[in-house]
Amino acid sequence: MPRASAPTRRAPSSQLAPLAARRPSPVPLLPQPLLERLLAVAMERGGDFAEVYVERTHSTSVVLEESRIKSAQTGLVQGVGVRVISGGKVGYAFSDDWDEPALLRAASTAAMIAQGQGSERAFPVSRVAVPSHYRVPTPLSDVEVSLKASLLTRADQAARAFDSRVTQVNGAYADQTRRLAVANTEGRYTEDTQDLCRISVQVVVQGKKNERRTGMYGGGGRVPFTHWATFPPEEVAREAARQAVATLGAVDCAAGPQTVVLAPGWSGILLHEAVGHGLEADFIRKGTSLFAGKLGEKVASELVTVIDDGTVASGRGSINIDDEGTPGERKVLIENGVLKGYLYDSLNAKLMGQRSTGSGRRESFRHLPIPRMTNTFLAPGNHHPDDILKEVKRGLYCATFGGGQVDISNGNFVFEVSEAYQIEDGKLGRPVKNAILIGVGPEALKNVSRVGCDPQPDPGMGVCGKNGQSMPVGVGLPTLRIDNVTVGGTQVG
């Protein structure tokens, strides 16, 4: 069951640093003659298609607890995966040993699994230029770990200075510089370098009668380390502390159907989970999605236009190419309430008579690519956010979401709201606790009655899980009103 995690709040407009000059192209990960030999071995037993995926990832992870750096680690993961497709059969094998005999064994193993009809052809490849949606002049892997750790130390100091009731601060920084290359039997050879970083801060405060509340905030993206000059860790820490303090004294959330207003930004995680996964082509092809067979039909309010865009500059989910070597795209999935398209990887596209939308993504060389979202957001409407709130006599304002999950087969979703407020006569009232949104994705979309003119991306913290693979994603949403949403709480409304 797909899940989303890492609650955040909306991004400041200064989040993304200007794009800088592109750094020089590095030496190829594997020599082209070896790539071509691996393709030939992969097709020895025949098949319709073969692909070699090469990856080298340098990563850093730093953790702060109790005002001290608890751990600081760097690592290198590299390997090669070989995939062979024969009809509906897929053979896949990988190796983290880069010696030629080991790579040839992986290619031969994938060929044996797919069991085609036999072939002794050569498969020359040519380098294909790729677009550029993120430019990081200095690889994040080249930045000193001490500088990364200092971000967390600064965040800890800012959080503790925010309010005397702060009792605990936890911080985490993570980045990676991921190089990948993809060569296939269609003659395409593509490369990309994907830098990615994020910081998250969790703050715990203690109020009267030992009441404890937690706030979390963070951000990042495919951005250079200089990003933290425009999105400083102090800002991250203060927002996390603000969330925690703001929810002190929260009352129990009323249960039952309510009008719900979603804050812009991270609230888009509801769209990602409740709708986005159901539009991924593997679920569509297998008929397990509620959206299967509904192209051209009205599936949402006419105010709803859903877009998945892998080309957003420096976005957390952005890709110059997907993990099959296909360029990332901007895809309109739902337009004015009408279902327009699905998210395809190359395998499901071929089996369904379609083309790939650049949505084939994998966690690492150890995994097969599957259809995944990139940056998924709701297009803005014409309603002013203040007017949206004023129109609600009684309801729930959801400022920050926690995790959520969806059942693809029936569209049922459940989301935890970590910061929420009562709406009374068009104004925000007391904070509430233990709020949960429950519903069916398409039904929630049909109940959208107002869409704000204030689109916001999330600040760059989203992590999406599917089939045991985790991928970075982005979400976004303007202020949104949804009527008749089932709210789970601890008292009857």
Side-chain angles (χ1 to χ4, degrees), residues 203-278:
V203 176
V204 179
V205 299
Q206 184 167 316
K208 298 177 180 178
K209 298 180 181 180
N210 293 322
E211 178 191 11
R212 293 166 64 87
R213 303 297 295 171
T214 301
M216 177 179 280
Y217 189 56
R222 299 199 184 281
V223 292
F225 194 74
T226 53
H227 172 70
W228 306 114
T230 57
F231 187 60
E234 290 84 358
E235 181 178 333
V236 174
R238 285 191 286 266
E239 172 57 21
R242 184 209 62 77
Q243 290 179 25
V245 171
T247 53
L248 284 171
V251 297
D252 290 334
C253 180
Q258 295 191 46
T259 295
V260 170
V261 177
L262 308 182
W266 177 246
S267 297
I269 192 60
L270 188 148
L271 185 75
H272 169 104
E273 284 291 323
V275 180
H277 278 298

Side-chain angles (χ1 to χ4, degrees), residues 82-345:
V82 182
R83 179 172 60 154
V84 181
I85 299 175
S86 179
K89 295 185 296 183
V90 178
Y92 191 73
F94 63 85
S95 173
D96 56 8
D97 184 344
W98 284 39
D99 288 342
E100 186 170 331
L103 299 181
L104 292 172
R105 283 195 299 273
S108 180
T109 300
M112 285 189 289
I113 296 171
Q115 286 294 330
Q117 295 299 317
S119 171
E120 292 185 0
R121 292 175 52 198
F123 296 92
V125 297
S126 298
R127 180 76 174 264
V128 177
V130 301
S132 180
H133 306 303
Y134 34 83
R135 298 172 183 171
V136 181
T138 300
L140 294 171
S141 57
D142 289 354
V143 178
E144 291 291 334
V145 177
S146 60
L147 294 177
K148 301 170 183 179
S150 69
L151 297 176
L152 299 182
T153 301
R154 290 164 53 189
D156 178 76
Q157 293 170 349
R160 294 182 184 280
F162 182 84
D163 195 285
S164 61
R165 290 167 291 184
V166 171
T167 61
Q168 184 178 338
V169 180
N170 296 322
Y173 171 91
D175 70 31
Q176 62 176 222
T177 298
R178 179 187 188 219
R179 288 191 59 203
L180 62 94
V182 186
N184 63 40
T185 50
E186 295 175 349
R188 290 174 55 88
Y189 170 50
T190 53
E191 290 188 358
D192 194 23
T193 299
Q194 301 173 345
D195 287 272
L196 183 71
C197 61
R198 67 173 182 174
I199 188 173
S200 61
V201 177
Q202 182 186 65
V203 176
V204 179
V205 299
Q206 184 167 316
K208 298 177 180 178
K209 298 180 181 180
N210 293 322
E211 178 191 11
R212 293 166 64 87
R213 303 297 295 171
T214 301
M216 177 179 280
Y217 189 56
R222 299 199 184 281
V223 292
F225 194 74
T226 53
H227 172 70
W228 306 114
T230 57
F231 187 60
E234 290 84 358
E235 181 178 333
V236 174
R238 285 191 286 266
E239 172 57 21
R242 184 209 62 77
Q243 290 179 25
V245 171
T247 53
L248 284 171
V251 297
D252 290 334
C253 180
Q258 295 191 46
T259 295
V260 170
V261 177
L262 308 182
W266 177 246
S267 297
I269 192 60
L270 188 148
L271 185 75
H272 169 104
E273 284 291 323
V275 180
H277 278 298
L279 299 177
E280 292 167 341
D282 47 354
F283 299 128
I284 298 298
R285 180 175 63 84
K286 296 171 185 176
T288 56
S289 169
L290 205 61
F291 293 102
K294 293 187 178 180
L295 278 178
E297 295 184 17
K298 187 174 181 180
V299 295
S301 161
E302 62 184 16
L303 300 176
V304 171
T305 294
V306 179
I307 298 166
D308 185 86
D309 191 355
T311 70
V312 175
S314 304
R316 180 168 170 81
S318 295
I319 50 174
N320 290 332
I321 55 173
D322 70 3
D323 296 318
E324 299 177 308
T326 305
E329 292 184 9
R330 182 181 187 274
K331 291 86 61 181
V332 178
L333 303 176
I334 298 174
E335 185 174 24
N336 299 328
V338 177
L339 182 58
K340 292 292 187 178
Y342 301 124
L343 298 170
Y344 292 98
D345 65 331

Side-chain angles (χ1 to χ4, degrees), residues 259-262 301 303-304 378-385 387-389 391-392 445-454 477-483:
T259 295
V260 170
V261 177
L262 308 182
S301 161
L303 300 176
V304 171
L378 187 74
N382 298 318
H383 299 95
H384 194 280
D387 294 335
I388 293 176
L389 190 63
E391 292 175 353
V392 180
L445 288 185
K446 291 176 181 177
N447 289 332
V448 170
S449 60
R450 297 288 186 274
V451 177
C453 59
D454 56 338
L477 199 73
T479 299
L480 189 71
R481 171 177 165 172
I482 309 176
D483 298 328

Side-chain angles (χ1 to χ4, degrees), residues 40-70:
V41 171
M43 294 291 282
E44 280 180 340
R45 297 172 179 265
D48 305 316
F49 174 85
E51 161 196 273
V52 177
Y53 173 86
V54 189
E55 175 193 358
R56 176 178 291 152
T57 299
H58 293 265
S59 61
T60 301
S61 174
V62 185
V63 175
L64 176 142
E65 295 178 4
E66 298 178 348
S67 298
R68 300 178 62 183
I69 299 300
K70 185 77 172 182

